[in-house]
Amino acid sequence: MARILAVANQKGGVGKTTTSVNLAAALAAAKRKVLLVDLDPQGNATMASGVDKHEAKPNGCEVLLDEAAIGDVLVRTEAGFDLLPGNGDLTAAELKLMDGLAREHRLKEQLAKISDRYHTILIDCPPSLHLLTLNALTAADGVLIPVQCEYFALEGLSSLLDTISAVRQRLNPKLEVEGLLRTMYDVRNNLGNEVSAQLTQHFGEKVLRSIIPRNVRLAEAPSHGQPIHLYDRGSRGAIAYIGLAGEIIRRERAMNAHDAGEIANDLDEAASDASGATPTTP
């Protein structure tokens, strides 16, 4: 069963799409089976993955409205991951879902049909906290939050965390913050260093060790329809996302080991209770 991560922040321009596409490519390069879901009507993740959003018919819109089978809509990308493409049609889907039953669960229901094919499913969310993002948070196991290391980095972050808390209470009890990812980081910028220190002070271990630098090659790659892994493998941006993929994989393995340990402890306790029980005679 795939681990589903929503890449979300209602603030625009913080690197959500860049992170979604390049993390998907880096995980695929690490021999992981990956699906990237473009849930943003702008369709930037679709274009950055080398797929023409204007030609992507059917796409995520038809999947959410149950007008197309999700398995028939997926596209294989050059970087080795699968893509559920998105474009402006998603806005129409959002409007049509407004009056629908269990409208926040549509994406979760669709991903459940194909989740056993993948190790990781990444969802590129729109820069808002509306219905599409709620669908992503309802379907996800964790939320990866890109945070730009600039002045307004913390602006709106509390709103997102409040939304995550509300979704956990009402729609998805298992939802957790996977981590905060510092993006567009310039070590020469004192303000960036201050913001980074503030994030670590406020959120502790939730701040990922990986840091995505401000990098020209990283900014150029989407215009060529390629993840940075294919556009310039040796660039600082590519190396940073490979490091992020490694950190995500290590966290997942640690989580699985912890869960296995809890299961083993439960089995030991059950066995101890059974051995200590007094048998009853019929």
Side-chain angles (χ1 to χ4, degrees):
M1 190 71 69
R3 178 161 174 77
I4 303 175
L5 298 179
V7 184
N9 190 330
Q10 78 273 26
K11 185 172 171 55
V14 298
K16 287 187 300 296
T17 297
T18 298
T19 293
S20 298
V21 173
N22 290 300
L23 178 56
L27 287 169
K31 309 302 181 184
R32 310 282 287 186
K33 296 177 181 178
V34 182
L35 169 64
L36 173 60
V37 177
D38 187 354
L39 209 61
D40 187 344
Q42 296 177 85
N44 291 336
T46 298
M47 297 293 285
S49 299
V51 177
D52 188 343
K53 65 180 180 181
H54 304 292
E55 301 296 327
K57 302 283 185 176
N59 54 57
C61 171
E62 287 78 10
V63 171
L64 288 175
L65 297 176
D66 211 15
E67 295 174 356
I70 186 170
D72 297 335
V73 180
L74 302 181
V75 178
R76 186 70 169 177
T77 68
E78 182 186 1
F81 59 87
D82 288 348
L83 172 74
L84 176 59
N87 57 26
D89 294 347
L90 285 167
T91 300
E94 186 171 34
L95 292 174
K96 290 180 180 180
L97 287 174
M98 285 296 184
D99 298 322
L101 294 174
R103 58 189 182 181
E104 297 95 346
H105 292 267
R106 292 298 183 92
L107 181 62
K108 179 179 180 179
E109 293 168 355
Q110 295 297 332
L111 293 181
K113 300 175 182 178
I114 47 91
S115 64
D116 59 347
R117 303 182 190 179
Y118 301 99
H119 295 110
T120 307
I121 297 176
L122 299 172
I123 308 172
D124 183 33
C125 297
S128 70
L129 296 178
H130 298 152
L131 186 55
L132 291 173
T133 300
L134 288 178
N135 263 267
L137 297 180
T138 302
D141 299 301
V143 188
L144 180 61
I145 307 174
V147 182
Q148 187 176 359
C149 290
E150 293 190 355
Y151 182 69
F152 292 112
L154 300 179
E155 181 184 357
L157 189 55
S158 60
S159 297
L160 175 59
L161 295 176
D162 288 343
T163 300
I164 292 171
S165 179
V167 169
R168 186 185 301 121
Q169 292 175 12
R170 292 181 49 245
L171 300 167
N172 183 5
K174 68 181 181 180
L175 184 64
E176 299 290 344
V177 174
E178 179 73 13
L180 279 71
L181 175 68
R182 290 162 288 182
T183 61
M184 304 180 192
Y185 184 78
D186 187 345
V187 69
R188 299 166 299 178
N189 188 325
N190 289 334
L191 180 59
N193 294 327
E194 291 174 8
V195 171
S196 178
Q198 283 184 335
L199 287 171
T200 303
Q201 180 181 348
H202 282 88
F203 299 102
E205 293 183 356
K206 287 297 183 181
V207 179
L208 297 173
R209 293 185 178 183
S210 300
I211 298 177
I212 308 303
R214 189 176 292 278
N215 181 242
V216 173
R217 303 297 277 173
L218 196 55
E220 292 173 349
S223 65
H224 295 267
Q226 290 183 322
I228 188 64
H229 177 71
L230 296 180
Y231 181 66
D232 188 347
R233 186 186 184 94
S235 68
R236 291 169 58 235
I239 294 170
Y241 276 109
I242 290 172
L244 175 61
E247 185 171 1
I248 294 295
I249 292 172
R250 287 192 299 273
R251 281 178 167 237
E252 181 181 307
R253 287 174 177 168
M255 187 179 304
N256 290 338
H258 176 71
D259 291 343
E262 287 189 343
I263 292 172
N265 288 336
D266 289 343
L267 290 174
D268 288 342
E269 290 178 6
S272 177
D273 291 342
S275 63
T278 303
T280 58
T281 55

